Amino acid sequence: MSGAEAQVIPLHGPGREKPDPAAQADRDLRESEEAQEQLNQERGVDAPVVEFPGAARVSPARTRPADADLLPASLRTALGFLRDRLTGDYTVDEFGFDAELTETLLLPPLRALYEKWFRVDTFGVENLPADGGALLVSNHSGTLPLDALMTAVAVHDHVPGGRHLRGLGADLVFQVPLVGSFARKSGQTLACNADAERLLRKGELVGVWPEGFKGIGKPFSSRYKLQRFGRGGFVSAALRTGVPIIPVSVIGAEEIYPKMGDIKLLARVLGLPYFPVTPFFPLLGPLGAIPLPTKWSIEFGEPIRTDTYDADAVDDPMLVFTLTDQVRESIQQSLYKRLSQRKSVFKG
């Protein structure tokens, strides 16, 4: 090495200072904003759109296309139903009731029967509560329980808000494959006081048909003559929950399948309460299962209050019997009145 002294260059001398990170970030931000502003001016944009934190966001799955309103309402409903089924975005209550499935798949064909085939007239709709619980007690007839289904349509379509009738069905309904599943999904449950009281306390409209199989299976010669109403279990449920009892009378269902006989041996083999013989079934096979297009009327009577009784009134068997008989007599008198005004089975 030469004897010349080496020159020491300071690392942080003038012009070599270590840049301040905060100052550098501030300069980068200003340069970015200036570049964005210049770009907006070139594109003719007055100001950038800033999304505020926490602003509502629309899920892409829920975003409707611009031309969604051009689709028919029925098609939009069907598409919405399919979307909810695929995504699992629907609810089923503790009893298995699926309101969306009921309104989308089950009610439309029943409504067609209600409006076009049976041409149902309804009376006393003002007696149905718009909210809160009530027990609807109806006569039962027709060989097949179509009267219960038509009453459910009447309640849903005539009560503000589209309330659903939660029917109480016999054990056999839930033991039949497919039928039991659809019964649960449409809001039906087992005919027992425990389930009835739970539904009534939740403010539901509950339907009960105390005649049971004795009613829908009675012969044509006994049409519109009410059978026994059992031991008044429905009255006990109403007393415990303090809800009104609404008598319901149905005219027209007795004649849809005029029952002329019963093949008891076949009924036992199939595990049915009866195997009906009508003028068309089983002679015409499946065609004989088509109900006759009779003209129907459904009347909702004046409510019978139960909230005026003491809490221990449910333990009074005489009171339960008296109320049961009062409901039965109210329905029977309503049936006689409507029958006296009817001029034709098929025209009303």
Side-chain angles (χ1 to χ4, degrees):
M1 292 183 62
S2 63
E5 216 174 275
Q7 183 179 2
V8 178
I9 301 176
L11 294 176
H12 302 288
R16 295 179 176 269
E17 294 86 352
K18 185 177 182 181
D20 181 16
Q24 182 65 36
D26 186 52
R27 283 195 299 272
D28 292 343
L29 180 60
R30 283 200 303 272
E31 291 173 359
S32 176
E33 290 175 349
E34 291 171 358
Q36 183 64 43
E37 184 177 357
Q38 182 178 358
L39 182 60
N40 289 338
Q41 290 175 355
E42 293 174 356
R43 294 179 177 177
V45 179
D46 294 334
V49 178
V50 180
E51 180 179 327
F52 290 95
R57 298 175 181 270
V58 179
S59 171
R62 293 288 183 180
T63 303
R64 296 199 308 170
D67 59 348
D69 292 333
L70 300 179
L71 297 174
S74 57
L75 181 57
R76 291 203 305 270
T77 301
L79 291 175
F81 173 76
L82 289 175
R83 178 199 61 209
D84 292 344
R85 296 293 127 173
L86 292 173
T87 61
D89 188 15
Y90 62 93
T91 57
V92 177
D93 75 2
E94 58 184 304
F95 296 93
F97 175 48
D98 188 334
E100 185 183 39
L101 182 142
T102 299
E103 294 178 3
T104 305
L105 292 185
L106 303 183
L107 278 179
L110 293 177
R111 188 175 291 116
L113 273 178
Y114 180 94
E115 296 176 350
K116 306 299 183 182
W117 194 254
F118 297 132
R119 296 148 292 140
V120 182
D121 291 329
T122 55
F123 304 91
V125 176
E126 65 278 3
N127 292 322
L128 295 172
D131 54 62
L135 185 66
L136 280 64
V137 183
S138 177
N139 62 307
H140 214 12
S141 62
T143 304
L144 291 180
L146 292 180
D147 52 357
L149 300 176
M150 295 301 101
T151 303
V153 175
V155 170
H156 181 273
D157 289 0
H158 291 286
V159 177
R163 303 194 67 185
H164 292 278
L165 181 63
R166 309 298 297 273
L168 302 179
D171 298 5
L172 180 62
V173 174
F174 304 99
Q175 294 170 0
V176 178
L178 192 61
V179 172
S181 176
F182 273 105
R184 285 285 183 189
K185 291 181 184 298
S186 65
Q188 319 309 308
T189 191
L190 192 63
C192 65
N193 273 22
D195 282 1
E197 291 172 23
R198 286 165 62 198
L199 286 167
L200 291 170
R201 288 195 176 95
K202 290 177 61 178
E204 300 284 358
L205 296 178
V206 177
V208 61
W209 294 263
E211 293 177 279
F213 291 120
K214 299 189 303 294
I216 58 175
K218 62 177 175 282
F220 188 67
S221 58
S222 299
R223 60 192 180 279
Y224 299 114
K225 296 177 182 178
L226 294 182
Q227 306 299 300
R228 282 186 66 250
F229 267 21
R231 301 178 181 178
F234 67 91
V235 170
S236 299
L239 285 170
R240 286 193 179 92
T241 54
V243 302
I245 301 174
I246 300 177
V248 182
S249 56
V250 181
I251 295 287
E254 296 275 12
E255 294 91 0
I256 60 173
Y257 297 113
K259 184 185 171 189
M260 314 304 293
D262 181 8
I263 305 178
K264 298 184 182 298
L265 178 60
L266 190 55
R268 285 197 296 270
V269 171
L270 297 175
L272 301 174
Y274 54 84
F275 189 90
V277 176
T278 75
F280 308 104
F281 181 84
L283 181 62
L284 299 183
L287 289 177
I290 299 176
L292 294 176
T294 57
K295 182 74 169 67
W296 286 35
S297 69
I298 298 178
E299 181 172 5
F300 302 99
E302 293 187 7
I304 299 172
R305 295 182 58 182
T306 63
D307 57 350
T308 57
Y309 296 98
D310 297 332
D312 57 351
V314 69
D315 299 322
D316 184 350
M318 283 305 299
L319 174 62
V320 173
F321 174 80
T322 300
L323 286 175
T324 302
D325 193 57
Q326 180 183 351
V327 175
R328 185 179 181 278
E329 186 64 21
S330 176
I331 296 172
Q332 186 68 80
Q333 292 304 317
S334 177
L335 291 174
Y336 286 151
K337 177 183 175 182
R338 289 291 167 190
L339 286 171
S340 67
Q341 297 172 351
R342 186 173 70 162
K343 297 179 181 180
S344 168
V345 171
F346 298 101
K347 295 183 180 180

